[in-house]
């Protein structure tokens, strides 16, 4: 009976159980702290990777835009080279067109009873000129008669100035040659006489 009722033994046996019961919440709390500590670097690393990805995307977009601009510029340069590579040749060709016009101008004016040979020469040169001008226009070479238009130093070359009561000052009163352009770009300026105010 003394063994069953010994209070010392009861107290001694109860102490470890109580200590075990208290230790469990402390371990749970400690494990919770470890979990937070482990998640924090992961979240930080995710944020860093997201930032790096955003920077890489921005750099890629910028590079792609630059590449598109470069391709567009290269295409323009190739198109310009293709269109204007024949510029020197085109200048020589328009000289031939102007010579045809001079040949027509050198013929006497048409009149009744003129020699049939002269008539046929005139008609042949006129037909050749029309065909030649049509071919030039198909290839982007155009001529423009500036007579009566306002003088434009970008398109016309003034060979002389003359007073005129019929034309406003600064107007082209006579054109010796037309303005020639190649795909809209000046090929050869017109040789003109410009009106000035009367004395």
């Amino acid at each position: 009976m003394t063994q069953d009722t010994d209070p010392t033994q009861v107290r001694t046996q109860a102490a470890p159980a109580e200590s075990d019961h208290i230790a469990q919440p402390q371990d749970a709390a400690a494990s919770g702290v470890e979990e937070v500590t482990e998640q924090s670097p992961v979240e930080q690393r995710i944020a860093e990777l997201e930032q790096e990805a955003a920077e890489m995307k921005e750099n890629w977009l910028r590079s792609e835009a630059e590449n598109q601009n470069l391709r567009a510029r290269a295409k323009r340069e190739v198109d310009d080279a293709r269109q204007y590579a024949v510029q020197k040749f085109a200048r020589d060709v328009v000289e031939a067109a102007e010579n045809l016009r001079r040949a027509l101008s050198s013929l006497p004016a048409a009149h009744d009873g003129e020699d049939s040979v002269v008539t046929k020469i005139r008609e042949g040169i006129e037909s050749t000129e029309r065909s030649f001008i049509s071919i030039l226009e198909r290839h982007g070479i155009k001529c423009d008669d500036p007579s009566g238009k306002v003088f434009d130093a970008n398109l016309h070359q003034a060979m002389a100035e003359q007073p005129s009561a019929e034309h406003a000052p600064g107007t082209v009163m006579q054109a010796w040659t037309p303005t020639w352009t190649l795909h809209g770009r000046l090929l050869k300026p017109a040789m003109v006489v410009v009106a000035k105010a009367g004395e």
Side-chain angles (χ1 to χ4, degrees):
M1 280 187 76
T2 47
Q3 291 179 355
D4 293 337
T5 58
D6 189 352
T8 310
Q9 291 180 358
V10 174
R11 197 177 296 114
T12 306
Q13 291 174 356
E18 186 178 355
S19 61
D20 291 340
H21 179 70
I22 295 172
Q24 290 176 357
Q26 289 177 354
D27 292 341
S31 63
V33 171
E34 288 175 3
E35 288 177 1
V36 172
T37 308
E38 289 175 358
Q39 288 178 356
S40 179
V42 171
E43 292 176 353
Q44 184 178 0
R45 181 58 179 160
I46 291 173
E48 291 174 356
L49 292 173
E50 288 177 347
Q51 184 177 357
E52 289 178 7
E55 291 175 357
M56 291 176 65
K57 182 179 180 181
E58 183 179 355
N59 292 336
W60 176 79
L61 290 173
R62 188 181 296 110
S63 175
E64 185 65 19
E66 291 176 356
N67 288 336
Q68 287 180 358
N69 291 336
L70 183 62
R71 285 193 293 269
R73 186 163 53 249
K75 185 178 183 301
R76 281 197 306 271
E77 290 175 356
V78 169
D79 292 341
D80 287 348
R82 185 182 297 112
Q83 284 187 342
Y84 304 114
V86 295
Q87 190 163 350
K88 186 177 183 303
F89 173 72
R91 279 200 196 96
D92 295 337
V93 169
V94 300
E95 283 288 342
E98 289 178 355
N99 288 336
L100 281 173
R101 173 47 49 184
R102 291 187 189 100
L104 277 171
S105 300
S106 67
L107 293 174
H111 59 84
D112 293 338
E114 72 175 359
D115 191 273
S116 61
V117 174
V118 176
T119 303
K120 290 179 180 179
I121 290 174
R122 181 185 297 105
E123 291 175 352
I125 295 175
E126 287 176 348
S127 176
T128 302
E129 184 190 36
R130 285 194 300 270
S131 176
F132 193 29
I133 295 297
S134 176
I135 291 171
L136 294 180
E137 288 180 350
R138 283 204 303 270
H139 292 276
I141 301 172
K142 295 183 179 179
C143 69
D144 178 58
D145 183 6
S147 299
K149 298 181 180 178
V150 177
F151 175 77
D152 184 352
N154 296 317
L155 299 173
H156 311 142
Q157 183 173 346
M159 306 304 294
E161 274 189 312
Q162 292 181 3
S164 174
E166 299 177 359
H167 300 84
T171 302
V172 175
M173 57 183 295
Q174 183 182 358
W176 295 347
T177 61
T179 303
W180 292 94
T181 56
L182 174 63
H183 296 293
R185 179 185 291 182
L186 180 65
L187 186 62
K188 188 176 180 183
M191 306 297 178
V192 300
V193 177
V194 183
K196 67 177 181 179
E199 297 178 358

